[in-house]
């Protein structure tokens, strides 16, 4: 078990990391802290003015929307290069501010690098269609155009990756970006913003192409409500989405929502159990259970239920918990005391519903770090899918339930309001194809023989139902940041009307 570092040394290290990325931190009312020790890292700056930021973004838009897309891609290419150069510093900063273990912090920066690579290629492929026209001498086609400023509201658990999924696509699409990061992770945003500004300057891009606006709920609400922001991408809880979505819809804006996840894995009797256990443990305990794709429900065939639970519990007991920057640590801290309290309340409710805590659930290292909140990942066997199981608790709690028939398992899987990520462990081809088919998982992501946690840049990321329906990152998610225009060009000397209409004058 690792030793928690001295807070003063951690704060000093944070200053060096910010300086290495070219970030300048000013005094103000926005404060930064680290969940590693629970202590303050000092001021991060002042809360921003969304209205002023939108005005500046529109000035940038006037230039950027007519800049050729491959030229826009040069800014993102340079950003990717700078991220590679500063990967270790940014990864460490993510660990300090969000509490992720070192490999996950570095992995998050790698996601930024990957989406930059994707977006650079995309900048030469923002293509529409040529469509057969029913009228002679006419060409029918569709083109795609920039929309305007994109507001990005990001969450603490992925303080930089999710922003980049949106920003890289928006920038090559011709849209300036206004980024309102979580008020729990402002420093990582300032560091990324500084690197972006360097990339923009070196490529002659307009000023204010990216603006980082610090603040809390007021800034997020102002961004969602501003009519000068045609697209708002918001990542967070379903409760947050319920506030953002109607505000954006009321002004006929476009919302890209990536909200709560209550993700499950089905373990079939034919599954490779050792492989399944590895996938389950990472998906459920990784990032201290604070991923939107974290595995929260385990639906196991009755014939292997007890064996799987025993193996997962044994693995949990051996997980190194502690300083996320230390080699060998696999579980870092929860973001704050509120998260730990919600975890304890959920466990108490689950036990009241007949659940049994098989392993974990208690606080760790409280004598060594009394102001931080480290928790041992919990596995709880449940008699059925009670209301607490149907709710998302952003903490490392895994509810295990037994099933007898695959149809029943899929029904149990789908019987929650969230629909983000899902998985099945099986070596039966029919079961695998059924799960990812039309009558299987109702989630935006459905995996076979890997857990629900973790995604590659090439695929669109997002979910259905209370997860919000938004899509970010790969595939054709870029269309969410542009407007489609249908064009008809008449190159004949006649004016035939569609559908054979006669209107002679």
């Amino acid at each position: 078990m690792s030793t928690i570092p001295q807070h003063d040394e951690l704060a000093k290290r944070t200053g060096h990391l910010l300086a290495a990325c070219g970030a300048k931190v000013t005094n103000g009312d926005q404060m930064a802290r680290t969940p590693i020790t629970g202590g303050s890292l000092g001021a991060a700056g002042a809360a921003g003015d969304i209205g002023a930021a939108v005005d500046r973004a529109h000035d940038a838009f006037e230039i950027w929307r007519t800049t050729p897309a491959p030229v826009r891609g040069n800014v993102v290419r340079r950003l990717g290069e700078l991220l590679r150069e500063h990967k270790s510093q940014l990864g460490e900063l993510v660990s300090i501010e969000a509490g992720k273990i070192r490999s996950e912090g570095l992995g998050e920066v790698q996601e930024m690098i990957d989406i930059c690579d994707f977006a650079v290629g995309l900048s030469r492929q923002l293509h529409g269609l040529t469509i057969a026209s029913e009228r002679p001498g006419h060409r029918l086609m569709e083109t795609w155009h920039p929309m305007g400023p994109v507001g990005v509201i990001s969450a603490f658990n992925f303080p930089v990756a999710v922003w980049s999924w949106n920003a890289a696509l928006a920038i090559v699409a011709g849209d300036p970006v206004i980024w309102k990061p979580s008020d729990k992770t402002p420093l990582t945003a300032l560091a990324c913003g500084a690197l972006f500004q360097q990339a923009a300057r070196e490529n002659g891009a307009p000023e204010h192409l990216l603006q980082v606006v610090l603040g809390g709920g007021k800034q997020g609400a102002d961004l969602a409500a501003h009519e000068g922001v045609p697209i708002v991408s918001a990542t967070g809880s379903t409760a947050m989405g319920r506030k953002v979505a109607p505000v954006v819809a009321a002004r006929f804006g476009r919302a890209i929502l990536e909200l709560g996840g209550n993700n499950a894995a089905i373990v079939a009797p034919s599954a490779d159990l050792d492989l399944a256990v590895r996938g389950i443990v990472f998906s459920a305990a990784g990032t201290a259970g604070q991923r939107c794709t974290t595995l929260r429900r385990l639906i196991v065939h009755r014939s292997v239920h007890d064996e799987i639970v025993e193996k997962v519990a044994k693995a949990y007991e051996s997980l190194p918990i502690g300083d996320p920057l230390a080699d060998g640590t696999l579980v870092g801290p929860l973001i704050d005391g509120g998260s730990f309290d919600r975890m304890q309340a959920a466990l108490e409710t689950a036990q009241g519903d007949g659940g049994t805590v098989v392993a974990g659930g208690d606080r760790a290292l409280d004598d060594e770090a009394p102001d931080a909140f480290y928790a041992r990942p919990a596995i709880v066997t449940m008699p059925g899918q009670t209301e607490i199981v149907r709710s998302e608790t952003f903490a490392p709690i895994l509810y295990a339930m037994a099933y007898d028939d695959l149809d029943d398992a899929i029904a149990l899987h789908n019987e929650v309001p969230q629909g983000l990520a899902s998985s099945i462990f099986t070596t039966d081809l029919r079961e695998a194809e059924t799960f990812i088919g039309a009558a299987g998982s109702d989630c935006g992501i459905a995996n076979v023989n890997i857990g629900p946690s973790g995604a590659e840049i090439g695929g669109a990321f997002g979910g259905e139902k209370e997860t919000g329906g938004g899509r970010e990152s790969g595939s054709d998610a870029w269309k969410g940041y542009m407007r489609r225009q249908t064009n008809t060009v008449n190159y004949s000397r006649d004016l035939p009307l569609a559908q054979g209409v006669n209107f002679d004058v």
Side-chain angles (χ1 to χ4, degrees):
M1 188 173 292
S2 63
T3 300
I4 305 303
Q6 293 295 312
H7 181 74
D8 290 347
E9 183 59 32
L10 203 59
K12 183 179 179 181
R13 178 62 180 159
T14 300
H16 291 320
L17 295 170
L18 288 166
C21 295
K24 297 180 180 179
V25 179
T26 59
N27 290 326
D29 57 347
Q30 301 302 296
M31 306 299 291
R33 60 176 294 278
T34 173
I36 296 176
T37 64
S40 172
L41 296 173
D49 183 330
I50 293 296
V54 173
D55 290 343
R56 292 190 292 264
H58 275 280
D59 290 341
F61 182 56
E62 289 302 311
I63 301 170
W64 201 238
R65 65 179 175 179
T66 57
T67 301
V71 177
R72 300 194 293 249
N74 289 334
V75 173
V76 178
R77 176 187 290 108
R78 180 58 181 144
L79 175 61
E81 293 170 350
L82 290 170
L83 291 173
R84 283 180 169 89
E85 294 171 16
H86 295 83
K87 181 177 177 178
S88 62
Q89 294 100 326
L90 274 175
E92 187 172 347
L93 192 56
V94 169
S95 293
I96 291 173
E97 198 170 34
K100 291 189 173 185
I101 63 173
R102 187 179 291 276
S103 64
E104 287 190 290
L106 292 171
E108 186 167 347
V109 179
Q110 186 61 49
E111 286 195 45
M112 289 199 288
I113 294 168
D114 292 344
I115 195 63
C116 285
D117 288 350
F118 179 91
V120 171
L122 180 66
S123 69
R124 294 182 180 271
Q125 298 184 71
L126 299 173
H127 48 70
L129 299 173
T130 298
I131 304 164
S133 173
E134 66 186 50
R135 292 172 284 185
H138 285 62
R139 179 158 62 94
L140 183 63
M141 62 182 181
E142 67 176 25
T143 52
W144 293 83
H145 301 292
M147 285 278 289
V150 174
V152 178
I153 302 171
S154 60
F156 77 84
N157 61 324
F158 277 85
V160 294
V162 174
W163 158 75
S164 69
W165 295 353
N166 289 273
L169 300 188
I171 293 301
V172 300
D175 303 327
V177 174
I178 302 168
W179 179 15
K180 209 295 287 182
S182 168
D183 55 6
K184 297 179 181 180
T185 52
L187 300 182
T188 49
L190 295 177
C192 290
L195 294 177
F196 183 94
Q197 299 302 346
Q198 180 180 340
R201 286 193 305 271
E202 292 177 2
N203 284 276
E207 192 177 5
H208 306 308
L209 192 57
L210 168 71
Q211 297 174 81
V212 177
V213 179
L214 302 182
K218 180 183 184 302
Q219 279 68 27
D222 289 349
L223 190 59
H226 203 296
E227 293 190 357
V229 183
I231 303 168
V232 175
S233 177
T235 301
S237 67
T238 296
M240 181 272 287
R242 291 190 191 281
K243 296 177 181 177
V244 170
V247 171
V248 176
R251 60 179 180 83
F252 298 102
R254 180 183 299 174
I256 300 173
L257 300 175
E258 200 282 282
L259 308 175
N262 193 355
N263 317 291
I266 296 173
V267 182
S270 69
D272 178 331
L273 298 190
D274 289 337
L275 183 148
V277 169
R278 291 198 300 273
I280 290 165
V281 172
F282 168 70
S283 297
T287 325
Q290 297 173 121
R291 290 183 177 224
C292 52
T293 55
T294 289
L295 177 60
R296 307 197 184 282
R297 296 177 297 132
L298 186 60
I299 304 168
V300 189
H301 192 270
R302 198 172 302 278
S303 64
V304 293
H305 174 272
D306 292 350
E307 183 179 357
I308 282 287
V309 170
E310 181 181 349
K311 286 178 178 290
V312 172
K314 184 177 180 180
Y316 271 16
E317 291 170 358
S318 66
L319 288 175
I321 302 171
D323 175 14
L325 294 170
D327 293 339
T329 300
L330 292 181
V331 179
L334 292 170
I335 191 68
D336 55 27
S339 291
F340 181 77
D341 291 343
R342 286 185 288 274
M343 179 181 181
Q344 298 308 300
L347 290 172
E348 183 177 345
T349 300
Q351 291 176 90
D353 291 341
T356 300
V357 178
V358 178
D362 54 327
R363 189 174 176 184
L365 306 178
D366 49 317
D367 55 341
E368 194 174 340
D371 297 320
F373 292 87
Y374 294 81
R376 293 182 177 85
I379 180 168
V380 186
T381 55
M382 296 296 295
Q385 194 153 259
T386 63
E387 188 59 34
I388 191 62
V389 179
R390 296 178 74 253
S391 304
E392 180 190 38
T393 302
F394 222 57
I397 302 175
L398 179 62
Y399 301 107
M401 297 166 285
Y403 80 91
D404 296 301
D405 177 81
L406 181 61
D407 289 341
D408 293 337
I410 291 175
L412 192 64
H413 175 283
N414 292 345
E415 197 270 314
V416 294
Q418 309 87 357
L420 179 53
S422 59
S423 65
I424 187 170
F425 290 91
T426 180
T427 57
D428 185 319
L429 179 62
R430 291 186 179 90
E431 289 184 329
E433 291 293 336
T434 297
F435 183 73
I436 64 174
S441 168
D442 64 358
C443 294
I445 299 168
N447 298 330
V448 177
N449 290 328
I450 62 171
S453 189
E456 294 187 33
I457 288 302
F461 183 89
E464 303 302 327
K465 302 190 293 188
E466 287 190 0
T467 302
R471 291 298 185 274
E472 301 165 330
S473 190
S475 185
D476 64 349
W478 63 270
K479 293 179 179 179
Y481 305 87
M482 305 192 79
R483 60 181 177 89
R484 186 197 310 254
Q485 187 175 84
T486 301
N487 309 127
T488 303
V489 178
N490 178 6
Y491 57 89
S492 74
R493 294 183 181 277
D494 300 315
L495 190 66
L497 301 178
Q499 292 87 46
V501 173
N502 291 314
F503 195 84
D504 294 330
V505 294

